[in-house]
Amino acid sequence: MRDRMVEVSGETATLVLSGTVSLNDVSSMRLACREIPPRVRTLRLNLGDVDGMDAQLMDAVRGVVHDWRASREGDFRLDLTTPHL
């Protein structure tokens, strides 16, 4: 993964991914989510600048989302606005 950035605003955090994302990067995504302050209830995952994702990687991302919802009892938003997917 070329770049990863977490932006926190109020009770929402945005995890912005760009470049090539691999299954190995999923662990980094999980760690990034754990570092988000506990007050944050909504996670927005922005994949707009990701070079490409296959079905296996999307399943892994769904696992991150499932863990987020279970641990925070919160919401999730996915931004897939990209010409690469």
Short mmCIF file of all heavy atoms in Angstrom, two decimals, residues 47 50-54 58 79-85:
data_model
loop_
_atom_site.label_atom_id
_atom_site.label_comp_id
_atom_site.label_asym_id
_atom_site.label_seq_id
_atom_site.Cartn_x
_atom_site.Cartn_y
_atom_site.Cartn_z
N LEU A 47 -11.52 4.38 -0.64
CA LEU A 47 -10.66 3.60 -1.53
C LEU A 47 -10.53 4.27 -2.90
O LEU A 47 -10.17 3.62 -3.87
CB LEU A 47 -11.25 2.19 -1.71
CG LEU A 47 -11.47 1.40 -0.43
CD1 LEU A 47 -12.17 0.08 -0.74
CD2 LEU A 47 -10.17 1.15 0.29
N VAL A 50 -7.15 3.80 -4.78
CA VAL A 50 -6.55 2.47 -4.79
C VAL A 50 -6.42 2.02 -6.25
O VAL A 50 -7.34 2.19 -7.04
CB VAL A 50 -7.41 1.48 -3.98
CG1 VAL A 50 -6.93 0.06 -4.17
CG2 VAL A 50 -7.37 1.87 -2.51
N ASP A 51 -5.27 1.44 -6.58
CA ASP A 51 -5.01 1.03 -7.97
C ASP A 51 -5.86 -0.14 -8.43
O ASP A 51 -6.16 -0.28 -9.59
CB ASP A 51 -3.53 0.68 -8.15
CG ASP A 51 -2.65 1.91 -8.12
OD1 ASP A 51 -3.13 3.02 -8.40
OD2 ASP A 51 -1.46 1.76 -7.79
N GLY A 52 -6.25 -1.00 -7.53
CA GLY A 52 -7.09 -2.14 -7.93
C GLY A 52 -7.27 -3.08 -6.76
O GLY A 52 -6.42 -3.18 -5.89
N MET A 53 -8.41 -3.76 -6.73
CA MET A 53 -8.69 -4.71 -5.67
C MET A 53 -9.41 -5.90 -6.27
O MET A 53 -10.31 -5.73 -7.07
CB MET A 53 -9.57 -4.06 -4.60
CG MET A 53 -8.90 -2.93 -3.87
SD MET A 53 -9.95 -2.19 -2.59
CE MET A 53 -9.92 -3.47 -1.35
N ASP A 54 -9.00 -7.09 -5.84
CA ASP A 54 -9.68 -8.29 -6.32
C ASP A 54 -10.69 -8.76 -5.27
O ASP A 54 -10.81 -8.18 -4.19
CB ASP A 54 -8.68 -9.38 -6.68
CG ASP A 54 -7.82 -9.84 -5.50
OD1 ASP A 54 -8.21 -9.60 -4.33
OD2 ASP A 54 -6.76 -10.46 -5.74
N MET A 58 -11.26 -7.69 -1.28
CA MET A 58 -12.53 -7.11 -0.84
C MET A 58 -13.11 -7.92 0.32
O MET A 58 -13.67 -7.34 1.26
CB MET A 58 -13.53 -7.02 -1.98
CG MET A 58 -13.26 -5.88 -2.94
SD MET A 58 -13.20 -4.25 -2.16
CE MET A 58 -14.89 -4.05 -1.62
N ASP A 79 -16.42 4.38 0.55
CA ASP A 79 -16.34 5.25 -0.62
C ASP A 79 -15.51 4.53 -1.67
O ASP A 79 -14.30 4.37 -1.52
CB ASP A 79 -15.69 6.58 -0.25
CG ASP A 79 -15.62 7.55 -1.41
OD1 ASP A 79 -15.98 7.15 -2.54
OD2 ASP A 79 -15.21 8.69 -1.19
N LEU A 80 -16.18 4.09 -2.73
CA LEU A 80 -15.51 3.37 -3.82
C LEU A 80 -15.46 4.20 -5.09
O LEU A 80 -15.33 3.66 -6.18
CB LEU A 80 -16.26 2.07 -4.11
CG LEU A 80 -16.22 1.01 -3.03
CD1 LEU A 80 -17.14 -0.14 -3.37
CD2 LEU A 80 -14.81 0.52 -2.80
N THR A 81 -15.53 5.52 -4.98
CA THR A 81 -15.53 6.38 -6.15
C THR A 81 -14.14 6.39 -6.77
O THR A 81 -13.26 7.13 -6.37
CB THR A 81 -15.93 7.80 -5.76
OG1 THR A 81 -17.14 7.74 -5.03
CG2 THR A 81 -16.11 8.68 -6.97
N THR A 82 -13.92 5.51 -7.74
CA THR A 82 -12.63 5.39 -8.39
C THR A 82 -12.81 4.73 -9.75
O THR A 82 -13.65 3.85 -9.91
CB THR A 82 -11.65 4.57 -7.53
OG1 THR A 82 -10.43 4.43 -8.25
CG2 THR A 82 -12.19 3.21 -7.19
N PRO A 83 -12.00 5.11 -10.71
CA PRO A 83 -12.04 4.45 -12.01
C PRO A 83 -11.30 3.11 -12.01
O PRO A 83 -11.37 2.36 -12.96
CB PRO A 83 -11.33 5.45 -12.93
CG PRO A 83 -10.40 6.19 -12.04
CD PRO A 83 -11.12 6.29 -10.71
N HIS A 84 -10.59 2.80 -10.90
CA HIS A 84 -9.76 1.61 -10.85
C HIS A 84 -10.49 0.33 -10.48
O HIS A 84 -9.97 -0.75 -10.65
CB HIS A 84 -8.61 1.82 -9.84
CG HIS A 84 -7.79 3.03 -10.14
ND1 HIS A 84 -7.04 3.17 -11.28
CD2 HIS A 84 -7.65 4.18 -9.46
CE1 HIS A 84 -6.43 4.34 -11.28
NE2 HIS A 84 -6.80 4.98 -10.19
N LEU A 85 -11.69 0.43 -9.91
CA LEU A 85 -12.39 -0.78 -9.46
C LEU A 85 -13.40 -1.23 -10.49
O LEU A 85 -14.05 -0.46 -11.11
CB LEU A 85 -13.08 -0.51 -8.13
CG LEU A 85 -12.15 -0.22 -6.96
CD1 LEU A 85 -12.98 0.09 -5.71
CD2 LEU A 85 -11.26 -1.41 -6.66
#
